[in-house]
Amino acid sequence: MRIAFLIILLILLYGCSVYEANVSKGRFDVDLPEPFWGQGVWVMPNTVYFKGNVAYSIGDKETIPLDGLENEGYDRRFGKSLPKERAEFEYRLKENPFSGSLDVFVKRWVFLGGGRVEVDPYPSVTLFAGLNSLVGEFGVGTRLGYSKDKAAYSGKYLSVRNELYIDDVVFMGEFEETHSYNNANFGLYAYSSLFVTEHFSLNFSTGFYQPWLFTNSLYLENVEIPEDYDITIDFPYFLSQYAGATVFLFDHVLLNVGETFYLTHSPASVKNIWRTHFSVSYMY
């Protein structure tokens, strides 16, 4: 009993540290992935397939302003706090026109499932499953990727050594930082194709894409206590709509051309992005 009391007393005396930050301005790199539209062709049942893909994209290359974002702030209930305040965010689209990928998939009766490994120029993995019939196909997929992205941001920070005490070793001020991050991104897709003929199909896909998946803190170096500071603001996501066509040129070669409409949604505005995609695939 005495030991438990001493442990509780030690915790109360030590308190806990707080590292919080409001991002007033931020510019963050974003990789827009190739859309996923399935296989775009009927495949024989009870078989395993491999498909190598080389893709090229061209379109908008710009910085996207994200309006209406707000820091939730941090309320300590006593002492110094961070207020709620607006944030000016921008996404900078990175230019990576070429990508390569390998699909591996299995078909049993009309059920088709598999995975894709892509380099764009950083690696990602997509898992997909659906139905593939003589008339068309539809299915769903999920993507998890890695990228190295640059971020520049400024704002206000608050660090507290012992939260249980009023202003006990408190630092508060402004910061301005630029860092590169090993970043994760995530996507969800729903896709369908209509097989018009044996050698021609129309392809459609809709998707959700979160370019900064696990980032809920940013590193501050030029402050009194360098540390990862928690931020109370969410990174906006993308919604996408893809439409294209696939032509089966030879026994193993497919050509795909399509257009993707990306919708970047922030609370006060919507920014549209268009990109055209070309891909050549070899399936065996």
Side-chain angles (χ1 to χ4, degrees):
M1 186 69 181
R2 181 179 298 178
I3 295 177
F5 174 77
L6 291 175
I7 292 175
I8 294 173
L9 181 62
L10 181 63
I11 293 174
L12 291 175
L13 290 175
Y14 179 74
C16 59
S17 298
V18 171
Y19 303 100
E20 298 284 341
N22 280 358
V23 181
S24 301
K25 291 185 178 181
R27 187 177 185 181
F28 300 88
D29 284 353
V30 167
D31 278 310
L32 283 180
E34 288 287 324
F36 184 78
W37 57 82
Q39 301 309 317
V41 65
W42 179 78
V43 296
M44 290 284 293
N46 302 317
T47 50
V48 178
Y49 284 87
F50 297 87
K51 190 173 76 167
N53 314 285
V54 177
Y56 175 79
S57 298
I58 187 172
D60 294 331
K61 304 168 187 176
E62 58 181 298
T63 299
I64 306 168
L66 305 168
D67 300 324
L69 300 179
E70 186 178 63
N71 294 277
E72 291 297 324
Y74 180 75
D75 185 5
R76 293 181 60 209
R77 299 181 183 177
F78 53 83
K80 296 179 180 178
S81 300
L82 289 176
K84 286 187 177 182
E85 60 180 352
R86 293 175 59 86
E88 297 179 10
F89 266 37
E90 293 179 337
Y91 276 163
R92 188 183 72 87
L93 301 184
K94 296 166 67 176
E95 184 179 355
N96 301 311
F98 290 97
S99 66
S101 60
L102 175 65
D103 294 359
V104 180
F105 53 97
V106 180
K107 185 176 179 182
R108 292 290 183 265
W109 190 37
V110 294
F111 300 101
L112 185 149
R116 166 177 291 186
V117 177
E118 183 177 8
V119 178
D120 183 26
Y122 297 99
S124 67
V125 174
T126 299
L127 300 178
F128 53 88
L131 301 178
N132 183 280
S133 71
L134 289 171
V135 177
E137 72 172 344
F138 66 89
V140 295
T142 180
R143 176 187 187 275
L144 183 62
Y146 162 83
S147 62
K148 194 171 184 65
D149 298 323
K150 187 177 180 181
Y153 42 90
S154 61
K156 302 173 183 176
Y157 73 93
L158 172 69
S159 65
V160 184
R161 180 70 57 84
N162 292 314
E163 173 63 9
L164 295 178
Y165 296 94
I166 299 177
D167 292 345
D168 183 31
V169 193
V170 175
F171 294 102
M172 188 173 183
E174 298 183 350
F175 64 85
E176 186 172 350
E177 305 274 348
T178 300
H179 296 286
S180 292
Y181 286 88
N182 296 315
N183 189 27
N185 48 74
F186 175 74
L188 289 174
Y189 305 96
Y191 60 89
S192 63
S193 292
L194 174 64
F195 301 154
V196 180
T197 70
E198 184 180 356
H199 299 283
F200 178 77
S201 68
L202 299 175
N203 319 126
F204 308 93
S205 174
T206 184
F208 163 89
Y209 179 62
Q210 175 55 263
W212 288 74
L213 179 58
F214 298 118
T215 306
N216 52 17
S217 65
L218 295 172
Y219 185 69
L220 303 187
E221 183 178 35
N222 302 313
V223 296
E224 284 83 356
I225 303 179
E227 186 62 70
D228 287 324
Y229 282 69
D230 293 333
I231 57 175
T232 57
I233 192 168
D234 295 326
F235 286 85
Y237 55 83
F238 290 87
L239 298 176
S240 65
Q241 296 288 336
Y242 168 84
T246 299
V247 179
F248 214 145
L249 295 178
F250 309 106
D251 288 342
H252 300 281
V253 179
L254 293 87
L255 173 66
N256 180 275
V257 179
E259 189 84 8
T260 303
F261 170 75
Y262 292 96
L263 179 71
T264 311
H265 186 72
S266 54
S269 68
V270 174
K271 179 68 175 180
N272 303 331
I273 307 164
W274 291 91
R275 282 195 171 181
T276 304
H277 307 274
F278 306 88
S279 71
V280 178
S281 305
Y282 184 84
M283 188 169 70
Y284 56 97

